[in-house]
Amino acid sequence: MGLKARIKSVLPRSLFMRSLLILVTPIFLLQVITTYIFFDRHWDDMTDRLASSVVKEIALIADQIEQVQGQPERVEVIAEYYGRILELGISYRQGASLNRTDYDLSAWGAIVHDTLSRQANTIIRRPYDIRIDIQEKWVEISVQLKDGVLTVVTPQRRLFSSSAYIFLLWMLGVSLVLLLIAVMFMRNQIKPIRRLAIAAEKFGMGREVPFLKVEGAREVRAAARAFLEMRERIDKQIQQRTAMLAGVSHDLRTPLTRMKLQMEMLGDHPDATALKQDIADMEKMIAAYLEFARGEGGEPSERTDLSAMMTRVLDQAVREGAQVTGAIQPEVSAVVRPVALERCLTNLISNALKYAGTVDVQLYTDEETVQILIDDNGPGIPLELREDVFKPFFRAEGSRNQKTGGVGLGLPIAQDIILAHGGTIDLLDSPQGGLRVYVRLPM
Ligand SMILES: Nc1ncnc2c1ncn2[C@@H]1O[C@H](COP(=O)(O)OP(=O)(O)OP(=O)(O)O)[C@@H](O)[C@H]1O
Ligand SMILES: [Mg+2]
């Protein structure tokens, strides 16, 4: 897509890096602009003036010496006098002539050379040559006089102020210190947000969330408090639901037991057999409700060997006479509620065995998730029913009249458990022609 998407893909993802960017960008821009203005205006101006004054001094000395050419003692006196006062190294070679030498200049050297030449062209009005040694920090300017060559050596500091470096260094240093302080403060600001995110994620996966400290900026505190309240409300709701279901199931058992006793006393009346069957069904259902209710209980999460668990479940199925094949990657572990997850796996496999003849199980991991595939060769579930079968008490038409006699809670319980672990459960087509149940769990 367009520019927006591209910019987005370049920008950092974490809040920390983003805030850092928000902070660094203006500092960096400020630095660039200040540096630019400083060098473009102030520094150029300064070096121009410095160069001009040195060049004027040289012009003055050149004039003086030219007036006393042919009188070496007087030339010497002038050279000594100006050299001392102006801190220049002055020498004069009578009869010599200027020979220009070409040499490479560094970037700094080129700047100094340019500034000097600009001034020299207008002020000295004689042939001249400039030699610059940046390392040794001196500049040598030779001027062709009528009768010889005047050479003036000046220290570099007379031509450009080193305060420019110091200014830049200060600016850089101060921004670094500012940045460091900002990073320190920002990390403290972001810590509570990160903690909140981790807590919410863990809670979503049904894992233990230790008490979350309400800390940080006002908005973060508000979010943390809202999260804590939400957690409490959800926990309470689950508890209430569990308690109600358990209570109802339990209360129903007593009259059912009484009815069973009364049926026994009725003897072999033809109506009695049908009623007995109904009572047996009701007992089975109540047992299932109780199981459903218990599934939500506060079982603690712990790191569990899922490979071993799956092998156990399959062994049980084999013992019951089922035809099972499997490819189980060994030693796959995850943080789960072991009893609940084992019930989930049992439900799924018993479904496959109930509605199909054979079952093939795969369990493997791809570093981030545990993947479980349960394939059977049964009739499968039509596409339009794949959502409904997860609703409690829903049973597909075909299974209604079967002797299998389920309640319709197997899949809802399995889904509840997987979702509470932060995983997903999907119904697909198996390569064997039946149903494939695809479960993914975070590690
Ligand atoms: N492997 C499967 N193949 C075909 N249909 C299935 C399979 N698993 C589940 N179903 C269909 O989905 C419905 C719901 O399954 P679920 O496990 O929730 O209930 P149940 O098996 O009927 O009863 P319960 O598991 O509570 O004893 C089943 O009635 C059945 O029609
Ligand atoms: Mg079932």
Side-chain angles (χ1 to χ4, degrees):
M1 247 202 295
L3 192 66
K4 231 175 168 180
R6 206 164 312 150
I7 291 177
K8 250 188 189 162
S9 70
V10 174
L11 287 179
R13 297 238 166 272
S14 73
L15 181 59
F16 180 69
M17 289 313 277
R18 281 186 182 193
S19 354
L20 206 63
L21 196 72
I22 292 172
L23 212 91
V24 168
T25 313
I27 292 185
F28 180 73
L29 275 178
L30 188 75
Q31 291 242 351
V32 169
I33 293 170
T34 319
T35 311
Y36 176 76
I37 291 176
F38 180 79
F39 274 94
D40 192 58
R41 298 289 180 78
H42 175 76
W43 204 72
D44 266 11
D45 233 45
M46 281 291 288
T47 33
D48 263 359
R49 265 183 236 172
L50 286 170
S52 149
S53 87
V54 169
V55 168
K56 275 178 187 153
E57 281 164 17
I58 293 171
L60 180 78
I61 296 164
D63 285 346
Q64 295 276 314
I65 287 180
E66 223 164 27
Q67 276 169 24
V68 295
Q69 267 171 358
Q71 298 164 277
E73 318 83 50
R74 294 196 60 185
V75 169
E76 213 159 282
V77 169
I78 290 172
E80 196 273 334
Y81 174 74
Y82 282 108
R84 184 159 42 82
I85 289 193
L86 301 175
E87 288 182 73
L88 299 172
I90 301 171
S91 58
Y92 177 68
R93 277 172 296 142
Q94 179 80 35
S97 63
L98 199 64
N99 57 332
R100 285 204 176 80
T101 41
D102 284 330
Y103 59 98
D104 288 333
L105 281 171
S106 65
W108 277 114
I111 295 174
V112 176
H113 192 279
D114 282 356
T115 341
L116 265 178
S117 316
R118 218 169 29 239
Q119 299 299 328
N121 285 340
T122 54
I123 296 171
I124 293 185
R125 293 184 323 275
R126 296 178 179 90
Y128 66 89
D129 184 33
I130 301 169
R131 294 174 59 93
I132 295 166
D133 192 329
I134 288 289
Q135 247 93 57
E136 297 295 324
K137 294 186 186 303
W138 54 255
V139 176
E140 188 188 274
I141 301 150
S142 304
V143 182
Q144 179 71 61
L145 304 187
K146 266 192 219 120
D147 241 349
V149 173
L150 166 71
T151 302
V152 177
V153 178
T154 169
Q156 215 177 73
R157 68 184 145 75
R158 284 215 49 194
L159 286 169
F160 62 109
S161 78
S162 52
S163 67
Y165 293 122
I166 293 170
F167 171 77
L168 281 184
L169 273 178
W170 263 101
M171 226 163 71
L172 229 93
V174 168
S175 346
L176 272 180
V177 170
L178 277 178
L179 207 70
L180 227 78
I181 294 172
V183 165
M184 260 160 48
F185 274 103
M186 223 144 58
R187 281 172 69 138
N188 281 336
Q189 291 303 305
I190 285 168
K191 225 185 275 168
I193 300 177
R194 201 179 288 154
R195 281 210 195 109
L196 180 59
I198 292 172
E201 199 184 348
K202 270 193 176 165
F203 184 64
M205 290 197 281
R207 294 187 188 167
E208 211 73 6
V209 184
F211 176 68
L212 185 73
K213 215 163 68 189
V214 176
E215 58 180 349
R218 199 197 310 140
E219 290 84 349
V220 182
R221 278 165 191 268
R225 227 173 277 127
F227 169 75
L228 285 178
E229 273 165 26
M230 181 189 77
R231 186 177 72 177
E232 220 166 275
R233 210 167 39 235
I234 291 177
D235 279 347
K236 207 192 268 167
Q237 260 171 19
I238 291 174
Q239 270 168 20
Q240 274 174 355
R241 188 177 115 182
T242 312
M244 198 194 76
L245 253 167
V248 167
S249 307
H250 186 266
D251 289 353
L252 280 177
R253 269 187 167 169
T254 323
L256 259 181
T257 316
R258 251 197 328 261
M259 277 165 82
K260 238 162 78 181
L261 280 174
Q262 281 164 359
M263 294 299 302
E264 294 300 330
M265 292 201 282
L266 270 183
D268 274 346
H269 194 273
D271 287 343
T273 17
L275 272 172
K276 268 182 196 161
Q277 183 57 46
D278 281 348
I279 289 172
D281 284 351
M282 279 172 88
E283 268 190 319
K284 215 190 310 176
M285 286 179 207
I286 287 168
Y289 300 162
L290 268 172
E291 190 175 302
F292 186 47
R294 227 180 299 128
E296 298 287 344
E299 187 194 357
S301 297
E302 55 185 80
R303 187 152 284 281
T304 313
D305 186 345
L306 297 186
S307 311
M309 178 189 284
M310 183 58 101
T311 312
R312 212 161 45 235
V313 173
L314 291 183
D315 282 350
Q316 177 63 31
V318 169
R319 243 177 280 131
E320 285 166 11
Q323 213 183 323
V324 177
T325 52
I328 315 284
Q329 184 182 325
E331 281 170 26
V332 175
S333 75
V335 179
V336 296
R337 295 174 176 152
V339 176
L341 193 70
E342 189 160 339
R343 179 177 308 134
C344 163
L345 295 178
T346 311
N347 282 356
L348 295 176
I349 285 168
S350 78
N351 269 359
L353 294 173
K354 197 151 66 167
Y355 301 108
T358 64
V359 55
D360 179 56
V361 178
Q362 297 169 53
L363 184 148
Y364 55 92
T365 163
D366 62 1
E367 302 300 319
E368 275 170 27
T369 51
V370 180
Q371 321 241 359
I372 301 172
L373 295 175
I374 299 168
D375 292 327
D376 65 44
N377 65 345
I381 299 176
L383 222 55
E384 63 273 14
L385 290 183
R386 284 187 189 167
E387 239 175 78
D388 291 333
V389 290
F390 284 117
K391 290 179 185 154
F393 312 114
F394 181 89
R395 308 201 64 218
E397 204 43 58
S399 47
R400 233 179 236 297
N401 304 320
Q402 278 176 10
K403 281 177 247 127
T404 47
V407 185
L409 280 175
L411 282 178
I413 289 175
Q415 190 190 36
D416 252 21
I417 292 169
I418 295 300
L419 292 186
H421 281 85
T424 59
I425 178 166
D426 293 299
L427 301 181
L428 310 165
D429 296 320
S430 86
Q432 287 94 313
L435 186 73
R436 161 174 280 185
V437 185
Y438 178 33
V439 173
R440 268 172 303 176
L441 282 173
M443 295 210 59

